[in-house]
Amino acid sequence: MDMKRVKDYIYWLYFQYLLITCSYVLEPWERSMFHTITVTVFAMVVYTAYVFVPIHLRLALEFFSQILGGQPEGTV
């Protein structure tokens, strides 16, 4: 791909983000605060999913394996 096309595509994605969030009507300092809060919340969601989803999946797998007649881990 041509670098100009990649740059244009990234600019287009950013513009779509501005349109969807309606942040293009904000003043520059408001837009900066909005982006900071959005990135912070997104990072917290990703971190929480990374830490807690595997634990809950493992517990759910153990629970359903016991319900469906699997052997307990101590007897294997």
Side-chain angles (χ1 to χ4, degrees):
M1 260 185 141
D2 186 19
M3 288 303 288
K4 183 175 178 356
R5 290 187 65 194
V6 171
K7 181 181 169 186
D8 289 341
Y9 182 68
I10 291 173
Y11 178 74
W12 180 78
L13 286 176
Y14 178 70
F15 186 67
Q16 292 298 313
Y17 165 75
L18 291 177
L19 288 175
I20 290 170
T21 59
C22 297
S23 60
Y24 63 93
V25 297
L26 300 174
E27 293 184 18
W29 70 272
E30 293 172 329
R31 189 179 302 154
S32 174
M33 291 298 293
F34 178 77
H35 293 321
T36 302
I37 292 170
T38 303
V39 167
T40 303
V41 168
F42 181 74
M44 290 167 58
V45 166
V46 168
Y47 174 74
T48 302
Y50 177 75
V51 169
F52 292 110
V53 167
I55 295 169
H56 289 294
L57 287 177
R58 183 181 54 83
L59 290 174
L61 180 64
E62 289 176 9
F63 175 75
F64 286 117
S65 68
Q66 288 178 358
I67 287 179
L68 298 175
Q71 293 180 348
E73 290 184 12
T75 61
V76 175

